[in-house]
Amino acid sequence: MIFEKNSSKYYFHYPFPVGIVGVISSGKVNFMSAAWHTQISFAPPLYGVLISPKRYTNQLIQKSKMFSVNFLKYEDYKIAGYVGRTSGKEIDKVKLFNLKYSQGKILEVPVLENAIACYECKVVDERTYGDHILYIGEIVGIHYDENFYKDNLSRELLLYHGNDRYTFATTDSIKFGKEEVQNEIKNITSEKK
């Protein structure tokens, strides 16, 4: 195994779902790809996104105090690239890339038409960690397309592989939870007797 001290970039924990963060502020709509986002809590339902203070999306969230997190299917990887490698300061991404969206049901946040799932989040906390700001959003509403989910899982969910590469799940998932572990323990214990 190779060891590097103080590596400046690391992608060893990828792939990771692509989250398209959407914001509406003062009539401006912007979308940004984010690979760094995570569930924080079930109760209350909290979701975090990490955004560089340099990003235009950061400025808009600072004003609106709300955001959406849109999840795409693999075939929409170009949308992730478009909104991730351009700046809303310089271009109107919605017009240029012909992005269709509707407004959230509860919050004034954009929900991408192409999304297979979307969380409407109101900011409840923010903290700076290194070179990014972690925005904690309370999920006040969830949109999803049941055609892309089976048992709340999607094989078609767009995943970011790092270094501008995208992928998706190519195999079925394997269930190995509490019940399966308990059965394995019984098998291991009986084999040792």
Side-chain angles (χ1 to χ4, degrees):
M1 186 176 279
I2 296 171
F3 173 76
E4 290 183 15
K5 184 177 177 181
N6 300 326
S7 182
S8 64
K9 297 227 177 197
Y10 48 95
Y11 295 101
F12 300 104
H13 55 287
Y14 285 63
F16 205 78
V18 175
I20 306 296
V21 177
V23 187
I24 299 174
S25 179
S26 302
K28 295 195 178 247
V29 178
N30 193 59
F31 292 99
M32 178 196 103
S33 294
W36 296 353
H37 54 90
T38 188
Q39 180 176 345
I40 306 287
S41 167
F42 277 126
L46 300 176
Y47 204 83
V49 295
L50 288 126
I51 299 175
S52 169
K54 301 174 195 172
R55 301 286 177 231
Y56 182 58
T57 299
N58 177 63
Q59 293 173 25
L60 298 180
I61 291 176
Q62 285 290 318
K63 292 176 187 171
S64 72
K65 299 298 183 192
M66 61 187 78
F67 59 90
S68 62
V69 184
N70 298 265
F71 300 96
L72 302 175
K73 56 191 173 296
Y74 173 72
E75 67 189 45
D76 289 326
Y77 67 89
K78 285 185 179 180
I79 293 172
Y82 291 154
V83 302
R85 291 300 179 196
T86 57
S87 174
K89 282 182 190 175
E90 299 163 2
I91 62 169
D92 182 337
K93 297 179 191 183
V94 172
K95 285 184 182 170
L96 183 63
F97 303 124
N98 196 28
L99 300 176
K100 305 288 186 222
Y101 69 92
S102 59
Q103 186 165 301
K105 298 287 186 191
I106 297 174
L107 300 175
E108 189 178 349
V109 295
V111 177
L112 276 172
E113 189 177 281
N114 291 66
I116 60 173
C118 178
Y119 301 155
E120 292 187 33
C121 300
K122 69 176 181 181
V123 175
V124 294
D125 196 12
E126 63 182 80
R127 301 192 190 240
T128 300
Y129 292 97
D131 58 2
H132 279 66
I133 298 171
L134 172 61
Y135 288 99
I136 306 296
E138 181 177 353
I139 300 172
V140 299
I142 296 174
H143 309 251
Y144 68 96
D145 185 336
E146 69 278 2
N147 296 313
F148 291 97
Y149 288 89
K150 181 180 177 189
D151 299 324
N152 294 322
L153 303 172
S154 176
R155 285 189 57 198
E156 297 176 57
L157 183 65
L158 178 63
L159 304 175
Y160 185 60
H161 216 195
N163 291 320
D164 295 325
R165 300 186 64 82
Y166 299 93
T167 189
F168 65 102
T170 58
T171 62
D172 287 324
S173 62
I174 296 171
K175 184 176 184 305
F176 195 74
K178 186 175 182 177
E179 184 180 320
E180 291 80 12
V181 170
Q182 293 301 319
N183 288 336
E184 287 287 318
I185 291 171
K186 286 178 189 173
N187 291 340
I188 292 168
T189 306
S190 67
E191 287 175 8
K192 290 187 176 184
K193 290 183 180 179

